[in-house]
Amino acid sequence: MEGMVREQLAKAFHDTHSFKWDPQGGFKLASGLTSPFYVDCRALMAHPHARRLVGQLAYEVLRDVPLDCLGGLEIGAISIATTISDYAYQAPASRDWRTFVVRKQAKDHGLGKLIEGAYKPGDRALIVDDVLTSGGSLLKAVAAARGAGLTVTHALVIVDRQEQDGRKKVEAEGLTLVNLLTIDDLMKQRRG
């Protein structure tokens, strides 16, 4: 079942035009480097059928991980965490995984929080992100969550780009990294 959902999710990237490949020109990444791959999870998550696949696949790979809440860096992680939480709550073996979001910088008004949502110190938290390249945004969210007293041992990304040693950097922080897809999965679907 998991393999079939993974294949459907890879296909959804193509059907929603959320994956592009340009071996000649490439695409400029946030790091300033260029890659032949462009992975747009925000566009993917704008489609309900794709969100359902993300929720289902994430639930299947996470259901035995002890979690209380999940979240990540704004904006991309909001729809991912909410989708996974909603799917897990409605699954036959229901999980009540609350969500939170890590701001890129603390608010300068109100309570001045860096993290918003349903969490408390001591909670077991999963950090989610859309795409893993260098691991910078994911590790920023991990540091903020740990700073708020959350126990973070796992992280999940929709796509591991398999570039810039992202996995190695994340695992060096004592995290188990789960990816739903890799660039290889997306390229294989492109050829298929």
Side-chain angles (χ1 to χ4, degrees), residues 17-79:
H17 308 287
S18 301
F19 175 70
K20 298 185 182 351
W21 181 62
D22 180 357
Q24 279 77 42
F27 304 92
K28 187 174 181 182
L29 304 176
S31 65
L33 298 176
T34 301
S35 172
F37 310 108
Y38 181 71
V39 181
D40 188 350
C41 288
R42 289 189 184 120
L44 178 85
M45 296 298 286
H47 296 271
H49 73 281
R51 283 195 306 271
R52 174 140 179 101
L53 293 169
V54 167
Q56 182 178 358
L57 187 54
Y59 174 76
E60 287 178 12
V61 298
L62 293 171
R63 68 175 151 213
D64 295 328
V65 176
L67 297 174
D68 299 304
C69 57
L70 59 149
L73 203 59
E74 66 177 355
I75 289 174
I78 296 171
S79 64

